[in-house]
Amino acid sequence: MALRVKDAMKANIKTVLSTDNLEEVCETMFRSNATCMPVVDQEGYYLGLLTETGILDWLFNQPRLSRVASDCMRPEAPVVFLETRLTELIDLFSHTKTQHASVIDDGRVVSVITIRELIRYTTKIHKRVSKESNKAVSIQTNKNAKQSKQDATPSAIHPQHEMSSPHLSEKTPPAKGKRQSKRQSKSRS
């Protein structure tokens, strides 16, 4: 089973309109602890990605008073789809200098996936696989222990092995922790 972007992405994503005031957009990003936000048009179609580094770069290089989200968005930001394999996304992040990719479905942005979210998701998968693997080993170990116990059970369970062990003798009672004195041994005889 190939893991896909839809498995790792967050479902609820905030977007900003291309005409939104940049200062207000920055405040929204700070409040939501977001490092990026998708920029959409009035109909909700994806236009680009607004990142912290893009905002900072634009503010220092374009000191205009009238600033809107579309001024510093990255229209060339990477885009992936719901059915994109996570291995492809890892390749994208590895071969580009980006840490974000917008997730698009039918022209509309449905999420943004970041390297951090991808690491969090793959770590969770590794923990689950490890836990299941440990559980399987534990089950197998328990089965082996039960089988060993059955194999070592005396003749009551395995009558065909009756008296076959030199340690099993009707004359010798099992020891109960202390040695018997000679007097106790003679009295039993």
Side-chain angles (χ1 to χ4, degrees):
M1 177 180 96
L3 297 174
R4 310 225 178 245
V5 167
K6 67 182 178 183
D7 301 319
M9 69 179 206
K10 290 182 179 178
N12 296 329
I13 187 75
K14 292 184 179 184
T15 60
V16 295
L17 292 173
S18 60
T19 56
D20 285 350
N21 178 285
L22 191 55
E23 285 80 15
E24 291 173 10
V25 169
C26 288
E27 284 301 318
T28 301
M29 288 176 72
F30 296 145
R31 278 193 308 274
S32 62
N33 201 27
T35 58
C36 64
M37 293 187 88
V39 181
V40 297
D41 64 14
Q42 297 293 338
E43 287 82 39
Y45 287 98
Y46 178 74
L47 298 175
L49 191 64
L50 191 58
T51 64
E52 291 175 323
T53 53
I55 292 170
L56 189 60
D57 184 51
W58 193 88
L59 289 173
F60 277 100
N61 294 318
Q62 306 289 330
R64 288 191 323 195
L65 294 176
S66 171
R67 299 177 188 135
V68 292
S70 62
D71 288 339
C72 55
M73 72 176 187
R74 294 180 45 215
E76 78 287 350
V79 172
V80 293
F81 303 95
L82 293 171
E83 294 299 323
T84 301
R85 292 175 184 232
L86 289 184
T87 53
E88 295 174 55
L89 180 62
I90 292 168
D91 286 344
L92 174 73
F93 286 152
S94 297
H95 296 99
T96 63
K97 292 185 178 186
T98 188
Q99 296 186 8
H100 315 86
S102 297
V103 183
I104 307 298
D105 185 33
D106 198 27
R108 299 183 193 286
V109 65
V110 292
S111 188
V112 172
I113 190 159
T114 66
I115 288 177
R116 177 179 284 181
E117 290 166 348
L118 186 58
I119 290 169
R120 183 178 293 130
Y121 180 75
T122 53
T123 301
K124 189 168 91 174
I125 293 296
H126 282 278
K127 282 182 183 177
R128 185 174 358 137
V129 167
S130 177
K131 190 175 182 179
E132 289 171 2
S133 176
N134 288 342
K135 186 177 180 180
V137 167
S138 176
I139 290 170
Q140 187 60 43
T141 303
N142 288 342
K143 284 182 182 178
N144 291 345
K146 285 179 183 177
Q147 185 62 43
S148 294
K149 212 176 210 182
Q150 287 177 347
D151 292 345
T153 303
S155 61
I157 294 179
H158 299 289
Q160 70 275 15
H161 297 294
E162 189 171 339
M163 303 305 286
S164 63
S165 172
H167 302 322
L168 297 176
S169 168
E170 290 180 21
K171 295 179 183 176
T172 310
K176 294 190 179 182
K178 290 188 177 182
R179 293 172 63 185
Q180 297 177 349
S181 68
K182 288 182 183 181
R183 191 178 307 157
Q184 290 173 335
S185 299
K186 287 181 181 179
S187 66
R188 286 191 182 162
S189 304

